[in-house]
DNA sequence: GGTGTGAATATGTCTATACATATTGAGCAA
DNA sequence: TTGCTCAATATGTATAGACATATTCACACC
């Protein structure tokens, strides 16, 4: 069948990428497109809606549909569990709980993640026990805190930051590199409705690369 | 009105986050939900579709709709023009074209990006002139190559990599830091249908942070 | 037990229709 | 000119109905 909304989407996308419809330009209305493609307006609507969701089009009632001026592309990256990240490389994942300490309502954990037995990343994590009381009694030696939280702490939102830092003494010791070695550091906070659940600093092993698809 | 698809979406999302419907669990069928919410099945469909797009649900014909096991959250990051990135910080953007060289079909450019007059990032870029012949005659002293390409080279796909490297001699000279200083380095390639358009290495100034929203 | 087959079923998608809503722009009034 | 009102219009959304398609499950058969 040639009248699916996916067909319409593909053709419209082709015209955008082909600059048949230039950036910022108004494209024909839904009714006109429906007529052209020989389908119902709802089908065109579905297609344009999807393209708008992906940032290719900007739509406003009455004003019509325009090709987005700066196809503000977004890079996407999955927030993966470290175990899966390692296994995706074809390596065997392992981890060691280096320390565990409770101060007030804060549980502090230090974990070393390994790939094929060698250091992959050093994680320093704080978990708020008021929001995640179950974490106090969890056994993080078999299931890493990273994975435990993904499974047990659904979150609303969060943020991540990447930066470059020289290896601290602790980083150097556990990641087996000289102090000051440039390392890719990830800071991440995740929040639930109630407040911050956890905060983590992850020092990647030297040479680590983060890849994103556009 | 309480029968909008957004209302249904919100309520379903609430139940997922509230664990009324546990991860991996089957949720009621569209017909049942439509009956419950007092709306048409198409409305429920629209809502569930949207949630599936966002990774909260997994839907399969006949098999029904399940709450995603690991709400595989994606971090998003806009692929911004550097000028806008700087201006978003409330600073004045500037850039200097340091070198320009053509070898065969390859145009090589080195550009220093500045924020409020101080170094922000050092860019080494190669542009394939067979795919972007117009680049040969473009004036990159007024409009940076970064921005020129965003406006003139629509691309299909690409990839980005972040890593941590010690400042090279060139990095150190232009970014005004000691050699070996840990820097956040971005590599990016973008492709059109025809092939690779451009490849870039961007060395960020020391202390640079890349933020992503989850 | 294993295997194939067909009925049942949940979601996928399209259609036609209707009304809602935001925005534009023309026309009129101050 | 400025400002207001109102009609026209493009998209947003809801609905009922229909058929498509994938998958499961029960059941017959070997």
């Amino acid at each position: 069948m040639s009248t699916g909304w996916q067909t319409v989407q593909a053709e419209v996308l082709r015209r955008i990428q082909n600059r048949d419809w230039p950036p910022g330009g108004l494209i024909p209305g839904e009714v006109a497109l429906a007529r052209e493609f020989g389908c119902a307006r709802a089908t065109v609507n579905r297609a344009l809606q999807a393209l708008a969701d992906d940032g290719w089009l900007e739509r406003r009632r009455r004003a019509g549909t325009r090709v987005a001026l700066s196809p503000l592309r977004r890079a996407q990256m999955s927030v993966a569990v470290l175990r899966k990240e390692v296994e995706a490389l074809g390596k065997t994942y392992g981890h060691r709980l280096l320390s565990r300490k409770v101060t007030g309502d804060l549980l502090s954990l230090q974990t070393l993640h390994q790939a094929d037995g060698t250091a992959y990343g050093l994680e320093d994590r704080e978990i708020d026990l008021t929001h995640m009381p179950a974490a106090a009694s969890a056994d993080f030696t078999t299931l890493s805190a990273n994975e435990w939280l993904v499974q047990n702490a659904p979150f609303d939102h969060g943020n991540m930051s990447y930066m470059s830092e020289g290896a601290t003494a602790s980083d150097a010791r556990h990641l087996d590199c000289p102090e000051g070695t440039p390392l890719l550091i990830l800071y991440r906070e995740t929040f639930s409705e109630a407040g911050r659940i956890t905060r983590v600093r992850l020092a990647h092993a030297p040479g680590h690369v983060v890849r994103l698809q556009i």
Side-chain angles (χ1 to χ4, degrees), chain A:
Chain A
M1 182 174 304
S2 73
T3 63
W5 67 269
Q6 323 234 20
T7 312
V8 176
Q9 184 189 33
E11 173 58 16
V12 170
L13 184 54
R14 196 192 63 73
R15 292 186 191 177
I16 295 171
Q17 293 184 335
N18 208 33
R19 308 234 165 180
D20 292 345
W21 293 333
L26 212 55
I27 77 171
E30 296 188 348
V31 183
L33 290 175
R35 218 173 19 239
E36 178 191 339
F37 290 113
C39 65
R41 184 171 78 91
T43 305
V44 173
N45 184 283
R46 179 85 166 85
L48 298 188
Q49 199 75 253
L51 286 168
D53 281 347
D54 287 348
W56 290 103
L57 296 173
E58 277 167 20
R59 323 189 69 204
R60 272 164 60 223
R61 276 184 177 164
R62 163 62 185 160
T65 300
R66 296 178 173 280
V67 178
L69 249 183
S70 57
L72 203 273
R73 305 295 304 257
R74 290 184 293 259
Q76 282 204 345
M77 197 186 130
S78 57
V79 181
V81 176
L82 277 175
R83 178 176 61 77
K84 292 188 177 176
E85 197 176 309
V86 169
E87 288 172 353
L89 297 172
K91 300 188 175 181
T92 306
Y93 172 77
H95 68 96
R96 278 172 45 211
L97 182 61
L98 299 179
S99 79
R100 177 197 176 107
K101 187 175 58 177
V102 178
T103 38
D105 285 332
L106 225 49
L107 171 63
S108 302
L109 300 169
Q110 191 176 47
T111 309
L112 180 66
H113 299 271
Q114 297 164 312
D116 277 352
T118 66
Y120 183 81
L122 178 66
E123 174 189 303
D124 281 284
R125 183 185 291 274
E126 290 177 355
I127 302 175
D128 189 318
L129 292 175
T130 58
H131 300 138
M132 291 298 302
S137 53
D139 172 24
F140 296 120
T141 55
T142 51
L143 190 68
S144 78
N146 179 288
E147 195 155 358
W148 187 89
L149 278 166
V150 168
Q151 287 184 16
N152 292 278
F155 58 90
D156 275 337
H157 61 284
N159 57 71
M160 294 174 33
S161 299
Y162 279 103
M163 62 195 76
S164 182
E165 295 179 0
T168 65
S170 169
D171 295 337
R173 187 164 57 251
H174 296 296
L175 297 177
D176 195 27
C177 63
E179 246 183 89
T181 304
L183 298 180
L184 191 61
I185 309 288
L186 165 67
Y187 285 93
R188 183 163 68 204
E189 294 179 307
T190 57
F191 299 80
S192 74
E193 214 172 325
R196 189 173 69 200
I197 299 175
T198 185
R199 181 168 70 175
V200 59
R201 171 189 190 268
L202 179 66
H204 290 92
H208 185 83
V209 176
V210 171
R211 292 194 172 76
L212 296 93
Q213 293 305 313
I214 306 177

